[in-house]
């Protein structure tokens, strides 16, 4: 049919670059069949397969060149971020990653070297996170490259971590540090010359290579109420939890966990608070739990060497309020892409 | 994060246009959570869920504007074809469709009317084929619109219909008629003025709205060996089966099932045989079975009112040969996008 890649050849690209990524998963048949299979019986405990008593989690996320990444971004990091953004959603649901499919849309003149490095990035993260490519599609586009990834994960049946499970009175927690990703993007665009090179590099790395908190998500299951990952910014994403839970949210700025470079920037330019709260690309876990769980949650964080910080609360009402020094409310005109 | 649709607003579009498509599937939480769930325990026999003893089938297929469809194509048909192309793969594997996710990439200036008609097309085919939207992603692109769809289906465990299961001595069968889709595309481009308007309309319809042979695929399971759907053209796709099965293939042109308009065109312009054999977009089932199964397979076709025709054979050797009148070999320079 129209639209298939011609040069060097769709089938050769799949066989050379992508089939090796499916080699560990026999039910993908080396990407030479039309579909992949997933044994859900629990009888086969092999990699990528469901265990007895588990249910499936499904997530799709796409990226487009010039929008989510740039032509001169390292292709391996582009691939790894795409995979990690999807893994981050699984992490927030306490899920174990299984397999993924990838739809690839490429200009007719394929840059084979770019694509090889892209595949190498997938390989690196497949090995790191124990997930495997099982299928996909490859097409030509007259526009920028684009990639859509659908990932399947597993949780024990009945242990869903929904956005809607927050309860008024819950404390709000997050993993890691806030704002590094959004500040990192600005650092990549040449801002923040006041920082040392390694500080800018740290922030840029946080933007380019999120850390899906898979182990933490799985450990939290059972101890927490609502959960999601922070991709659109803490303010907007806590708004999602609050709305789904028919409640309001509160963020205490003084409690926000900041990396040393982010703290330094914020001390010099307090207006960056908006970037920190709404810039997105954090891919940290955001979750709610009864306040008395704080010590236990912090202990889990210590054990996994990932800070777990109480940053706010679920309250009666609607929307999310941001409280600054002394409990005074701070108003931001935009949060993520939602008006408040 | 960057790249989310701004106007009218990603969340409003999802809530208004896409959430209704997930309303019948409670485990998608109205597309307001980060992931969807799939109960595989067999305990919940509701729509979209796995039954006891089934395993999952996974397929991803994408389309790009200007490549797979044109800006002035009816948006409902664009959506339905995308869904049907994926359903056709499930049909060829004898699978029952369950649920799908959809990644939507749109220009920043969204044509809301276009998108509404696109969603209406999905709705129509969801109702027709018993499949439901459960998740996805929506992003801006500076390029043409693009859509990537991942579908999950179910088959009884152990009843996979692989490309590689053909056996030397098998007869090759196909459903429906061949070449209508590829001829229909050319008719849409203004060719074939010698046909009556309704004949051109028939061919165009076959291009725009494939018929996923789901019922036939399920009935064939157990009676046939290898199977796939014809999307890249009979010649190329039989080549896929032959290669996967480490055998050769034979197509007998005299046996090819042609619709009346296709037959009329081919009688006047025999060179169109190449379009018929390699043009693709047929979305009919292609499968192999022992020759003695022919009567039983034809009877299944009769019962479902879908022609099932023997069109060739699996033979020792490599590649696919095309035999014309009197068994003389016909050579085509290109098949699909593969050289032979």
């Amino acid at each position: 049919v129209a639209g298939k890649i011609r040069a060097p050849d769709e089938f050769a690209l799949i066989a050379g670059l992508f089939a090796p990524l499916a080699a560990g998963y026999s039910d993908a048949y080396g990407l030479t069949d039309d579909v992949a299979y997933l044994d859900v019986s629990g009888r086969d405990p092999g990699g990528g397969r469901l265990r007895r008593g588990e249910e499936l989690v499904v997530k799709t996320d796409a990226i487009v060149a010039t929008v989510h990444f740039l032509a001169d971004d390292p292709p391996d990091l582009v691939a790894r971020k795409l995979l990690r953004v999807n893994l981050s959603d699984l992490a927030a649901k306490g899920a174990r990653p299984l397999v993924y499919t990838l739809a690839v849309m490429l200009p007719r003149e394929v840059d084979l070297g770019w694509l090889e490095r892209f595949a190498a990035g997938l390989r690196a993260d497949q090995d790191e996170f124990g997930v495997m490519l099982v299928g996909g599609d490859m097409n030509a586009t007259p526009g920028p490259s684009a990639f859509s990834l659908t990932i399947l994960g597993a949780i024990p049946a009945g242990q869903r971590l929904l956005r809607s499970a927050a309860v008024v009175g819950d404390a709000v927690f997050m993993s890691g540090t806030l704002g590094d990703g959004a500040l990192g993007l600005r650092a990549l665009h040449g801002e923040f010359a006041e920082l040392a090179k390694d500080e800018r590099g740290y922030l840029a790395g946080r933007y380019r290579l999120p850390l899906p908190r898979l182990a933490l998500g799985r450990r939290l299951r059972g101890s927490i109420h609502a959960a999601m990952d922070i991709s659109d910014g803490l303010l907007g994403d806590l708004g999602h939890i609050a709305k789904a839970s028919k409640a309001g949210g509160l963020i205490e700025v003084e409690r926000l966990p900041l990396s040393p470079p982010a703290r330094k920037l914020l001390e010099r330019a307090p207006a960056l608070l908006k970037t920190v709260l709404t810039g997105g690309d954090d891919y940290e876990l955001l979750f709610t739990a009864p306040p008395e769980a704080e010590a236990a949650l912090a202990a889990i964080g210590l054990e996994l060497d990932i800070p777990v910080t109480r940053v706010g609360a679920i309250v009666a009402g609607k929307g999310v309020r941001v409280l600054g020094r002394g409990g005074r409310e701070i108003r931001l005109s935009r949060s993520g892409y939602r008006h408040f």
Side-chain angles (χ1 to χ4, degrees), chain A residues 281-306:
Chain A
D281 276 301
D282 296 295
Y283 300 104
E284 293 291 350
L285 302 193
L286 174 66
F287 51 98
T288 80
E292 54 271 26
E294 183 171 2
L297 295 173
I300 291 173
L302 266 178
E303 188 192 317
L304 296 175
D305 205 18
I306 301 167

Side-chain angles (χ1 to χ4, degrees), chain A residues 80 83-84 121-131 209:
Chain A
R80 295 172 77 183
L83 189 50
R84 287 172 180 225
L122 292 177
R123 158 65 65 195
D125 274 2
Q126 287 194 189
D127 294 345
E128 182 162 348
F129 298 106
V131 63
L209 208 55

Side-chain angles (χ1 to χ4, degrees), chain A residues 176-185 187-188 195-211 213 257-263 265 282 284 307:
Chain A
T177 54
L178 190 72
D180 294 338
L183 295 170
L185 176 60
L188 279 167
L195 290 184
K197 197 181 167 193
D198 67 328
E199 291 173 317
R200 288 198 304 275
Y202 163 83
L203 294 174
R206 289 274 288 161
Y207 172 75
R208 284 184 156 162
L209 208 55
L211 296 166
R213 303 298 195 183
L258 299 175
S259 67
R263 184 168 301 282
L265 286 172
D282 296 295
E284 293 291 350

Side-chain angles (χ1 to χ4, degrees), chain A residues 45-70:
Chain A
R49 293 172 183 89
L50 231 59
R51 297 178 192 145
R52 227 175 271 277
E54 288 184 327
E55 64 179 353
L56 268 187
V57 179
V58 185
K59 173 70 189 181
T60 292
D61 221 336
I63 54 171
V64 180
T66 76
V67 178
H68 302 90
F69 64 96
L70 301 175

Side-chain angles (χ1 to χ4, degrees), chain A residues 53-281:
Chain A
E54 288 184 327
E55 64 179 353
L56 268 187
V57 179
V58 185
K59 173 70 189 181
T60 292
D61 221 336
I63 54 171
V64 180
T66 76
V67 178
H68 302 90
F69 64 96
L70 301 175
D72 59 352
D73 281 347
D76 55 328
L77 296 188
V78 172
R80 295 172 77 183
K81 181 162 181 178
L82 171 61
L83 189 50
R84 287 172 180 225
V85 162
N86 281 280
L87 287 167
S88 177
D89 279 300
L90 295 192
K93 301 301 161 178
R96 186 168 71 81
L98 299 174
V99 297
Y100 68 97
T101 68
L102 181 66
V104 175
M105 287 154 266
L106 290 173
R108 281 198 189 278
E109 298 301 312
V110 180
D111 179 341
L112 195 57
W114 192 96
L115 209 55
E116 279 168 351
R117 292 172 63 197
F118 183 90
L122 292 177
R123 158 65 65 195
D125 274 2
Q126 287 194 189
D127 294 345
E128 182 162 348
F129 298 106
V131 63
M132 284 171 289
L133 179 70
V134 300
D137 188 24
M138 182 170 279
N139 286 294
T141 174
S145 307
F147 303 89
S148 175
L149 196 152
T150 297
I151 197 162
L152 301 180
I155 57 164
Q159 294 197 30
R160 300 180 185 178
L161 291 172
L162 302 176
R163 288 186 182 182
S164 58
V167 177
V168 171
D170 273 359
V172 173
F173 299 87
M174 65 169 287
S175 65
T177 54
L178 190 72
D180 294 338
L183 295 170
L185 176 60
R186 291 177 62 167
L188 279 167
H189 287 154
E191 290 191 67
F192 311 141
E194 66 268 38
L195 290 184
K197 197 181 167 193
D198 67 328
E199 291 173 317
R200 288 198 304 275
Y202 163 83
L203 294 174
R206 289 274 288 161
Y207 172 75
R208 284 184 156 162
L209 208 55
L211 296 166
R213 303 298 195 183
L214 286 159
L216 180 61
R218 270 182 274 173
R219 278 299 305 278
L220 292 173
R221 232 175 29 214
S223 308
I224 63 177
H225 289 159
M228 66 182 296
D229 70 333
I230 310 177
S231 56
D232 290 346
L234 174 61
L235 188 53
D237 287 330
L238 184 56
H240 291 316
I241 286 180
K243 188 179 177 191
S245 303
K246 298 179 172 42
L250 214 62
I251 295 170
E252 296 174 75
V253 169
E254 298 275 285
R255 291 180 176 272
L256 295 180
L258 299 175
S259 67
R263 184 168 301 282
K264 192 189 278 189
L265 286 172
L266 223 60
E267 275 165 7
R268 296 188 192 183
L272 285 175
L273 176 63
K274 192 172 146 185
T275 297
V276 168
L277 281 173
T278 70
D281 276 301

